[in-house]
Amino acid sequence: MKLSEEQLAAFDEQGYLFLPECFSEEEVSVLGAEADEIFKTERKEIWYESSGAPRTAFAAHTYNDAFAILGRHPRLIEPVEQVFGEQLYMHQFKVNAKAPFDGDVWQWHQDYGVWARDDGMPAPRAMNIAVFMDEVMAINGPLMFIPKSHRHGVLEAGHDVETTSYPLWTLDNETIAALADDGGIVAPTGKPGAVIMFHGNIVHASPPNITPYPRKIVYLTLCAVSNHITKFNREEWIAHRDFTPIEPAPDDALLEYAREYRVKAA
Ligand code: SIN
Ligand code: MN
């Protein structure tokens, strides 16, 4: 899948691109079912909220076949190769649960700020991709972005180790107010299978989920191979050290997997 000139220009201008129907219901429902199973298991890669509810399953593409396919899916790999003009490796892969009632906040931050400070990533030549596994609504903790904020480079941040169970380099309120004065704040909503590509420097956050509705999103962070990280401070299942270029899977690989899964489950 290739992005159009208009889509590339919108991404440059706004810092994100929303693709509301990237995967079909059939393709994505198998991912949701597999994620629910993963969150029932005990593994070192699963991080919990302070309440005990699951927050994030890291590196699911290394221990689950459906997520392994998603991690090589051409509808995600090809557009990012197009933007960076080279092959990619997986810097990070995570499934965020944002559990009903217990899904906690993600404070305002820039992802490249984290990759640069913690992992020694040389440049913001890595792209985040969010794939919705549940319907993301205005009420269940959607991702919020400040359009155009990616143009400011890495902003000053403080290391917040207290607000949630997950330490994060976060931005202060004055900075957020000034950026929002310029770009406003958006929260794309949509059905399972929708995708958001977003720049490593775009400022984003999400509020807690106090509704009964789940909001699972899977995130791929695809980094240009020549831009691989240089510091190995974090666990290898959080910041990967396998810089092998990703070879895309066939376009129908996830659909095939979903069909076989349904036969086995019947
Ligand atoms: C993130 O910014 O890394 C995650 C935010 C979310 O899942 O709401
Ligand atoms: Mn983030």
Side-chain angles (χ1 to χ4, degrees):
M1 188 179 95
K2 286 277 191 296
L3 299 176
S4 67
E5 287 303 317
E6 290 73 31
Q7 286 175 313
L8 288 169
F11 175 78
D12 273 351
E13 163 82 16
Q14 301 292 318
Y16 74 100
L17 196 60
F18 184 44
L19 307 169
E21 290 181 349
C22 192
F23 293 98
S24 68
E25 184 82 49
E26 191 175 6
E27 288 175 308
V28 88
S29 64
V30 69
L31 295 171
E34 296 274 17
D36 289 338
E37 289 308 310
I38 289 171
F39 284 127
K40 284 183 206 154
T41 63
E42 278 185 33
R43 310 185 57 97
K44 64 180 185 314
E45 295 92 346
I46 302 181
W47 209 289
Y48 295 88
E49 308 283 16
S50 317
S51 68
R55 179 175 177 87
T56 298
F58 285 99
H61 67 311
T62 63
Y63 52 81
N64 176 278
D65 291 343
F67 286 111
I69 295 171
L70 190 73
R72 301 192 298 122
H73 205 288
R75 278 173 244 161
L76 306 181
I77 304 296
E78 287 171 5
V80 182
E81 284 182 345
Q82 188 185 357
V83 171
F84 293 136
E86 64 171 293
Q87 283 193 288
L88 312 166
Y89 79 94
M90 190 69 72
H91 170 60
Q92 189 173 82
F93 189 106
K94 59 183 194 273
V95 183
N96 280 356
K98 191 73 84 168
F101 300 112
D102 284 321
D104 210 348
V105 62
W106 286 81
Q107 311 94 301
W108 289 108
H109 67 283
Q110 295 171 299
D111 283 355
Y112 179 63
V114 178
W115 307 329
R117 291 179 183 100
D118 289 350
D119 307 326
M121 187 185 283
R125 286 174 55 75
M127 181 81 78
N128 266 325
I129 312 220
V131 182
F132 296 2
M133 286 181 288
D134 294 310
E135 179 164 1
V136 176
M137 301 175 266
I139 54 173
N140 64 347
L143 264 177
M144 304 191 293
F145 297 95
I146 303 185
K148 300 194 258 180
S149 56
H150 64 302
R151 299 179 186 175
H152 294 269
V154 177
L155 297 158
E156 210 181 298
H159 205 207
D160 181 349
V161 295
E162 281 171 9
T163 305
T164 74
S165 62
Y166 188 73
L168 202 61
W169 289 95
T170 60
L171 306 178
D172 64 32
N173 293 352
E174 290 72 34
T175 307
I176 298 306
L179 293 169
D181 251 357
D182 181 36
I185 298 179
V186 296
T189 55
K191 298 271 179 214
V195 161
I196 311 172
M197 282 176 49
F198 56 104
H199 193 283
N201 276 335
I202 195 169
V203 175
H204 61 286
S206 65
N209 183 9
I210 58 168
T211 74
Y213 312 118
R215 191 235 63 176
K216 291 185 297 298
I217 297 180
V218 53
Y219 295 89
L220 284 69
T221 301
L222 296 165
C223 185
V225 169
S226 67
N227 189 49
H228 67 76
I229 62 170
T230 58
K231 288 197 223 161
F232 304 134
N233 293 326
R234 300 199 287 173
E235 301 282 1
E236 55 76 26
W237 41 269
I238 295 184
H240 301 308
R241 288 151 210 184
D242 178 357
F243 309 137
T244 314
I246 297 170
E247 293 303 332
D251 190 78
D252 63 355
L254 196 51
L255 194 59
E256 289 297 313
Y257 183 91
R259 288 185 177 151
E260 278 170 30
Y261 182 92
R262 266 215 321 271
V263 170
K264 271 191 230 146

